[in-house]
């Protein structure tokens, strides 16, 4: 026997519910159903049949569910996984509401021609079906037989339609059941079963995050983005695959949270946010110079970094999302090297920019609150080198990802990262949009800044004044 949930308890907390919507006039009601399911604590992913997309667009569903809407059975998820299989394998229940006569027939015959039938066929989770249609369609022997097969042979829960005015202008049985009754049927179908797939990484990807508060107002954040280009000669360079998406997402997120943002941008393929002070650089050497200026505790009088004195206050944090070259040509030429001469490149290692900043702020800001430093490490395969880097570089956080993994790394809109901190603990995040990854990183930065400030305040309060010191 399971304990009855207390008053106010959310009955679908932690559950993943797949909401299948098919081409009925009642499809608009599915938006409200989604809201009711999320109000019960469910994580909801929406599947639309192609006809359903003619009745309701995916935008409201995507915005409310925070998952991409799946409407084409042949489309893959952004990370390359097969959408309907991910849903089938991770959903605690599939609820099809409204279910058309056509969908009931397709399902009864196992025809996986749309994403809703395909997910239902591939799942071992309970399926709840709420039909809606014209009265004559509902009483037709074909529909009666199909509903019977779904109930008896498949074990589906059918929430029968109700009597009332129909889209045809007639009145009869065929109206979609009341939405709370459909939610109750889902809760009941799940009973006390454990959550099927608690690992968010194995659920459908999340597209958007909870909007954050303006918790970075009066903070100045320096962010680097894009890939450096190391000159071989005036025409050629050595570059990398960074597109600047992660850095731009960080800048966007930091601006939205009220920060003043200095964005040092190497080569990028994305638009940069308008509210940021953008400093363009190309090579690692230029990035190094811009970084030193941007991190300076106060701009040197008359010093110019191209930002026209925009650096008004010392940086509170640095997030190094740029992909900085590890090697640069030892002897870049100032004239184009002719093909006939042949070319053998000698490369020299570049300086560790983050390590340099760490020691710079350590020396120069002795006694004052130092900025929070966040590094990125793009690895291929294991992330085992990452924790050592946090200590070696003397930084606060290292964001590591395996760029060889599908959907993670260069040129994608998603990323799966692990955040390592100084204490040695790690936070393995699921596959998320880069904007959500940016917010998760800034959550840590904002908390670290608050902790830094309250430590400084406590130290200030405990510091004896000179008169107190003498009187002891
Ligand atoms: C305005 C309009 C309303 C419709 N409403 C319903 C309905 O409530 N129930 C139903 O079974 N079919 C309804 N249909 C017919 C379906 O849209 C049609 O059978 C379609 O092929 C269903 O595709 P699907 O089951 O793949 O979503 C409606 C059609 C139109 C044009």
């Amino acid at each position: 026997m399971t304990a009855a949930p207390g008053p106010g308890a959310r009955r679908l907390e932690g559950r993943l519910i797949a909401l299948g919507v098919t081409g009925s006039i009642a499809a608009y009601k599915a938006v409200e159903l989604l809201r009711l399911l999320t109000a019960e604590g469910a994580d909801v992913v929406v599947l639309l049949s192609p006809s359903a997309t003619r009745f309701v667009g995916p935008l409201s569903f995507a915005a409310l569910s925070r998952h991409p809407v799946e409407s084409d059975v042949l489309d893959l998820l952004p990370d390359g996984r097969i959408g309907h299989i991910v849903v089938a394998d991770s959903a605690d229940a599939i609820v099809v509401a409204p279910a058309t006569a056509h969908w009931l027939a397709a399902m009864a015959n196992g025809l996986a021609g749309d994403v809703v039938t395909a997910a239902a066929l591939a799942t071992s989770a309970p399926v709840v079906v709420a039909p809606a249609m014209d009265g004559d369609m509902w009483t037709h022997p074909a529909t009666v037989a199909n509903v019977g097969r779904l109930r008896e042979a498949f074990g589906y829960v059918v929430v029968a339609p109700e009597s009332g005015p129909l889209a045809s202008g007639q009145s009869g049985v065929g109206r979609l059941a009341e939405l709370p009754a459909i939610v109750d049927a889902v809760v009941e179908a799940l009973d006390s079963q454990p959550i099927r797939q608690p690992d968010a990484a194995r659920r459908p990807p999340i597209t958007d995050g909870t909007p954050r508060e303006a918790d970075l107002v009066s903070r100045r954040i320096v962010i680097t983005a894009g890939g450096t280009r190391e000159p071989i000669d005036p025409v050629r360079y050595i570059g990398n695959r960074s597109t600047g998406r992660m850095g731009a997402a960080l800048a966007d997120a930091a601006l939205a949270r009220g920060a003043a943002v200095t964005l040092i941008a190497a080569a990028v393929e994305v638009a940069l946010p308008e509210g940021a002070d953008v400093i363009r650089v190309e090579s690692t050497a230029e990035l190094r110079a811009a970084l030193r200026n941007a991190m300076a505790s106060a701009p040197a009088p008359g010093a110019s970094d191209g930002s026209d004195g925009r650096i008004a206050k010392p940086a509170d944090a640095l997030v190094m999302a740029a992909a900085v070259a590890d090697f640069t040509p030892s002897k870049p030429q100032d004239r184009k090297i002719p093909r006939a001469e042949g070319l053998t490149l000698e490369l020299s290692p570049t300086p560790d920019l983050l390590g340099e900043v760490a020691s710079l702020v350590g020396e120069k800001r002795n006694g004052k609150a130092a900025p929070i430093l966040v590094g990125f490490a793009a690895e291929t395969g294991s992330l085992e080198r990452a924790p050592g880097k946090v200590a070696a570089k003397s930084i606060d956080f290292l964001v590591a990802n395996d760029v060889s993994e599908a959907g993670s790394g260069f040129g994608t809109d998603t990323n799966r990262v692990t955040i390592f901190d100084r204490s040695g603990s790690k936070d393995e995040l699921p596959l998320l949009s880069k904007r959500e990854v940016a917010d998760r990183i800034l959550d840590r930065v904002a908390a670290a800044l608050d902790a830094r400030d309250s430590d400084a305040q406590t130290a200030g309060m405990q510091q004896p004044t000179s008169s107190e010191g003498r009187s002891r």
Side-chain angles (χ1 to χ4, degrees):
M1 208 181 96
T2 50
R10 304 207 300 170
R11 298 177 298 164
L12 295 171
E13 194 68 62
R15 303 275 187 193
L16 174 67
I17 307 296
L19 171 58
V21 183
T22 63
S24 155
I25 192 81
Y28 73 94
K29 295 184 181 174
V31 177
E32 178 61 7
L33 180 57
L34 161 57
R35 212 191 52 73
L36 293 179
L37 291 166
T38 51
E40 290 283 1
D43 178 16
V44 181
V45 60
V46 177
L47 316 173
L48 299 182
S49 73
S51 311
T53 63
R54 304 276 297 271
F55 290 85
V56 279
L59 195 59
S60 307
F61 290 120
L64 288 170
S65 71
R66 293 173 50 218
H67 288 288
V69 170
E70 298 184 26
S71 57
D72 185 339
V73 71
L74 300 181
D75 264 358
L76 298 180
L77 294 175
D79 55 17
R81 293 180 295 163
I82 301 171
H84 63 274
I85 298 296
V86 172
V87 169
D89 290 350
S90 57
D92 289 281
I94 296 179
V95 50
V96 186
T100 58
H102 172 261
W103 185 83
L104 297 171
M107 193 65 232
N109 289 285
L111 298 174
D114 68 87
V115 71
V116 187
T117 37
L121 268 174
T123 198
S124 57
V127 179
V128 175
V129 178
M133 64 199 70
D134 167 76
D136 291 331
M137 286 172 103
W138 175 243
T139 51
H140 193 284
T143 306
V144 172
N146 292 330
V147 170
R149 186 161 163 74
L150 262 51
R151 268 199 181 115
E152 282 132 40
F154 300 179
Y156 289 4
V157 175
V158 177
V159 187
E162 296 176 358
S163 181
L166 301 168
S168 55
Q170 299 165 354
S171 203
V173 178
R175 270 172 72 87
L176 182 69
E178 290 300 319
L179 302 182
I182 301 173
V183 175
D184 288 348
V186 175
V187 171
E188 210 169 302
L190 287 166
D191 193 20
S192 54
Q193 288 176 28
I195 289 177
R196 203 154 157 243
Q197 186 48 268
D199 180 0
R202 305 185 70 175
R203 290 182 171 193
I206 294 168
T207 46
D208 199 4
T210 335
R212 303 311 203 264
E213 286 173 20
D215 55 0
L216 292 173
V217 172
S218 85
R219 305 290 193 190
R220 195 168 77 81
I221 314 271
V222 177
I223 295 166
T224 67
T228 58
R229 292 175 169 178
E230 306 305 306
I232 297 171
D233 66 20
V235 179
R236 307 174 181 102
Y237 61 81
I238 301 175
N240 61 60
R241 294 182 194 280
S242 171
T243 59
R245 275 190 175 78
M246 192 64 241
L250 278 157
D252 262 332
L255 287 165
R257 294 165 80 145
V261 174
T262 301
L263 180 58
I264 305 176
V268 294
E269 292 171 22
V270 291
L272 299 178
E274 281 188 3
D277 279 337
V278 177
I279 300 170
R280 297 275 182 179
V281 297
E282 201 166 284
S283 63
T284 301
E286 287 175 20
L287 176 56
R288 185 187 194 198
L291 199 52
R292 279 177 173 256
N293 273 328
M295 294 306 293
S297 46
S304 169
D305 61 356
S307 64
D308 302 327
R310 283 173 297 186
I311 298 170
K313 100 188 249 302
D316 292 293
L318 165 66
V319 188
M320 277 286 278
V324 182
D326 289 319
F327 297 96
T328 189
S330 308
K331 292 180 191 127
Q333 303 294 304
D334 51 17
R335 56 162 196 116
K336 186 181 173 192
I337 304 165
R339 183 206 299 244
E341 281 183 17
L343 180 60
T344 305
L345 277 181
E346 190 189 299
L347 302 175
S348 313
T350 53
D352 170 10
L353 302 192
L354 193 53
E356 277 188 1
V357 172
S359 50
L360 188 78
V361 296
E363 284 163 22
K364 286 202 172 174
R365 308 188 65 196
N366 207 8
K368 291 188 195 162
I372 304 303
L373 302 181
V374 183
F376 270 71
E379 306 282 351
T380 45
S382 141
L383 302 183
E384 66 189 16
R385 291 179 337 136
K389 285 186 177 176
V390 184
K393 288 179 188 276
S394 190
I395 58 176
D396 298 277
F397 301 106
L398 186 82
V399 182
N401 64 339
D402 175 358
V403 289
S404 60
E405 201 181 289
S408 205
F410 304 122
T412 63
D413 288 322
T414 52
N415 210 351
R416 187 209 296 258
V417 305
T418 301
I419 304 177
F420 295 87
D421 68 18
R422 269 175 193 259
S423 71
S425 78
K426 64 174 180 174
D427 186 7
E428 284 180 69
L429 301 182
L431 189 73
L432 297 169
S433 68
K434 284 191 171 165
R435 173 54 192 265
E436 178 63 15
V437 171
D439 267 321
R440 301 283 184 107
I441 294 167
L442 294 175
D443 289 345
R444 304 292 294 259
V445 169
L449 283 169
D450 289 346
R452 181 195 78 174
D453 291 354
S454 81
D455 281 355
Q457 233 174 8
T458 316
M461 282 186 322
Q462 284 170 351
Q463 194 82 36
T465 61
S466 48
S467 62
E468 279 171 345
R470 274 198 301 275
S471 68
R472 280 212 186 115

